[in-house]
Amino acid sequence: MNVLITAGPTREPLDPVRYLTNRSSGKMGYALASAFAEAGHQVLLISGPTKLDIPDGVDLIPVESAAEMFSAVEHHIGRMDTAVFAAAVADYRPASISEQKIKKHGDTLTLELVRNPDILGSARGKFSFTGVLVGFAAETENLETNAREKLHRKGCDLVIANDVSQPGIGFDSDRNQILLVYPAHSEPLLEDEKHHLAPRIVREIELLTAGA
Ligand code: CTP
């Protein structure tokens, strides 16, 4: 099948030398891209900047900002059977990008930020995507309740939830502990390395596709 995966952080430019970003390493998204390719699927990885190597057999579209990621997804999602949104997209971007480097003046500096488009949240409506839709939820409290709310709000078939308040797993780590949240039930997976969890998640998504 054709699989689209978003991964990594986004960078939201402020001036020619600065940007806002977040702590995502891209490891979970890249591990999934690699596992889907190894299972014989066609993978298009749309990724923000990471230090990771492109997995074998995967097509990569590199992007920087949320707006660029949105455009790339909008352009390609129509021919996909499955779309997995593992990117940690910046929720806000600077309201304006200064053409020149911003010089320091006073003791404080106030930035105005505006909302970025919700790419996963646009899949069902704006992009009219009818394939299997998988989102991620990084939560610090009420993991299952918050993830299930996200699943319904964004029209997902599966939300992969993790508790980012636990040290040593999740963001920027090689390990993760995840809860698979489906419309009618949830299933916790044991804490493991991201590259061990990925083939397991691929099998779960293959089952969803078979039933779709
Ligand atoms: N996502 C996206 N585009 C955005 C924001 C998020 O595609 N602009 C996707 C992420 O890739 C992930 C899911 O949506 O699959 C996360 O949902 P989101 O509501 O952003 O989660 P949080 O940032 O945890 O939201 P909040 O803390 O506001 O509940």
Side-chain angles (χ1 to χ4, degrees):
M1 62 185 174
N2 288 312
V3 185
L4 179 153
I5 300 174
T6 70
T10 64
R11 280 181 183 170
E12 309 300 326
L14 187 54
D15 71 11
V17 298
R18 303 184 179 97
Y19 53 77
L20 302 178
T21 191
N22 58 55
R23 264 214 260 170
S24 167
S25 63
K27 285 173 188 164
M28 194 70 240
Y30 277 59
L32 282 170
S34 175
F36 269 110
E38 271 172 31
H41 302 291
Q42 296 293 320
V43 183
L44 179 64
L45 179 62
I46 298 175
S47 176
T50 75
K51 294 184 183 136
L52 304 173
D53 294 331
I54 307 168
D56 285 345
V58 167
D59 291 328
L60 174 79
I61 298 181
V63 296
E64 295 240 335
S65 64
E68 285 173 23
M69 187 174 278
F70 183 94
S71 300
V73 171
E74 184 174 35
H75 194 256
H76 291 282
I77 198 169
R79 62 183 171 83
M80 298 293 160
D81 304 296
T82 297
V84 181
F85 288 77
V89 182
D91 289 323
Y92 294 87
R93 67 180 182 279
S96 62
I97 305 171
S98 172
E99 273 183 38
Q100 306 300 332
K101 184 181 167 199
I102 299 170
K103 304 297 274 182
K104 56 185 156 317
H105 292 293
D107 288 338
T108 64
L109 171 69
T110 305
L111 293 177
E112 191 187 354
L113 305 179
V114 294
R115 264 301 266 280
N116 270 329
D118 184 345
I119 311 171
L120 171 59
S122 304
R124 293 295 189 211
K126 196 162 191 302
F127 305 155
S128 306
F129 179 63
T130 54
V132 169
L133 187 62
V134 180
F136 274 74
E139 307 290 347
T140 55
E141 58 181 356
N142 305 324
L143 183 65
E144 181 164 5
T145 311
N146 286 338
R148 192 168 296 286
E149 185 277 327
K150 214 157 273 180
L151 175 121
H152 290 302
R153 181 162 43 88
K154 302 198 185 197
C156 296
D157 300 295
L158 166 65
V159 164
I160 300 167
N162 68 316
D163 183 344
V164 287
S165 66
Q166 291 188 48
I169 58 168
F171 266 145
D172 216 10
S173 164
D174 288 330
R175 302 182 69 78
N176 209 351
Q177 181 169 25
I178 59 179
L179 178 69
L180 301 176
V181 179
Y182 293 95
H185 72 287
S186 299
E187 189 185 346
L189 300 187
L190 290 176
E191 186 194 317
D192 205 340
E193 308 241 332
K194 287 177 178 175
H195 71 266
H196 287 150
L197 288 167
R200 173 70 204 278
I201 295 170
V202 167
R203 282 197 296 280
E204 295 281 332
I205 295 173
E206 285 172 339
L207 289 174
L208 281 176
T209 318

